[in-house]
Amino acid sequence: MKPKLLVLTPRFPFPPIGGDRLRIYHLCEQLATDFDLSLLSMCSSDEEMNCATPGDGIFSYVERVFHSPLQRLWGCLSVLPSRTPLQVGYYRNAVFTQRLRDLAPKHDGILAHLIRTGDYLKPYSIPKILEMTDSLALSYLRTNRINLKSIMWSVGYKQDAQRLQQYERNVIDDFDLVVLECTVDRDFVAS
């Protein structure tokens, strides 16, 4: 019997096209050889909530939670007076929190895809993995250097980059394993 691993994603990984969806899909494809995988994922549209999942056997259980534009806005507004990055606030969802609370005890470990879902795992003591892919703070700092046309966006990026940088450096201590794609990002987060 394979150990049970719960995978959390901020975006529904089906169909597995482009960027973060493709990455988590292929990672889970590999993990499925050694783990019984369950998926708890946020969806931002009716299409995602209703699209068929492939019968590829990667996930033995799939659950979706709708994450509306109003929830995303409220999540961002709720973190403004704190040091929590907007990227984390944007993905706050009470139903997702409750479903995680119900599902976590049935699993041997949890993998959070990106810091967007990693924040949900702070109260849990079972083995936790954070698949960061790259540093959002470093990405934001690079974007800010490009001299964005809008002053408001430039200030917003700079503000969230500072929050992200501190957050990423602190969050790695909350996990048993943190995965970053390249050494540049790893060194930036660990510095």
Side-chain angles (χ1 to χ4, degrees):
M1 195 158 190
K2 295 179 183 178
K4 293 180 173 288
L5 184 66
L6 177 59
V7 178
L8 309 179
T9 62
R11 290 179 23 159
F12 195 57
F14 299 107
I17 52 172
D20 60 328
R21 290 179 188 202
L22 197 57
R23 179 169 173 84
I24 193 64
Y25 178 81
H26 285 305
L27 178 62
C28 288
E29 193 174 42
Q30 295 300 309
L31 288 170
T33 61
D34 297 315
F35 294 91
D36 178 5
L37 300 180
S38 298
L39 174 66
L40 177 60
S41 184
M42 286 188 211
C43 295
S44 59
S45 70
D46 289 336
E47 182 182 10
E48 287 180 350
M49 288 295 291
N50 298 311
C51 89
T53 57
D56 54 16
I58 292 176
F59 297 103
S60 61
Y61 176 79
V62 174
E63 185 168 336
R64 306 167 217 215
V65 172
F66 187 67
H67 193 54
S68 73
L70 186 58
Q71 289 168 310
R72 295 187 293 253
L73 175 62
W74 177 249
C76 287
L77 293 174
S78 72
V79 299
L80 282 177
S82 71
R83 293 180 185 219
T84 302
L86 295 175
Q87 279 287 329
V88 173
Y90 186 88
Y91 289 92
R92 288 198 172 162
N93 183 302
V95 175
F96 193 85
T97 300
Q98 182 56 53
R99 293 307 302 140
L100 173 58
R101 194 174 298 133
D102 295 340
L103 292 169
K106 301 172 184 170
H107 292 82
D108 301 303
I110 306 174
L111 182 148
H113 185 225
L114 309 175
I115 63 167
R116 298 163 178 168
T117 58
D119 198 60
Y120 285 94
L121 298 185
K122 286 183 179 180
Y124 295 91
S125 59
I126 64 175
K128 299 178 285 194
I129 303 164
L130 176 61
E131 199 294 306
M132 285 180 69
T133 304
D134 55 14
S135 166
L136 280 174
L138 185 57
S139 176
Y140 270 37
L141 290 171
R142 288 175 178 151
T143 302
N144 199 37
R145 289 192 187 127
I146 295 172
N147 239 348
L148 296 171
K149 292 179 183 177
S150 166
I151 296 292
M152 191 168 123
W153 277 109
S154 184
V155 170
Y157 266 94
K158 186 174 182 180
Q159 193 79 7
D160 213 35
Q162 292 169 350
R163 289 177 180 209
L164 280 164
Q165 190 170 1
Q166 189 62 45
Y167 183 87
E168 287 177 345
R169 289 182 177 152
N170 291 336
V171 77
I172 60 175
D173 294 332
D174 295 331
F175 290 87
D176 300 290
L177 175 66
V178 175
V179 179
L180 285 152
E181 195 168 294
C182 73
T183 56
V184 171
D185 291 272
R186 184 197 66 205
D187 293 345
F188 179 79
V189 170
S191 66

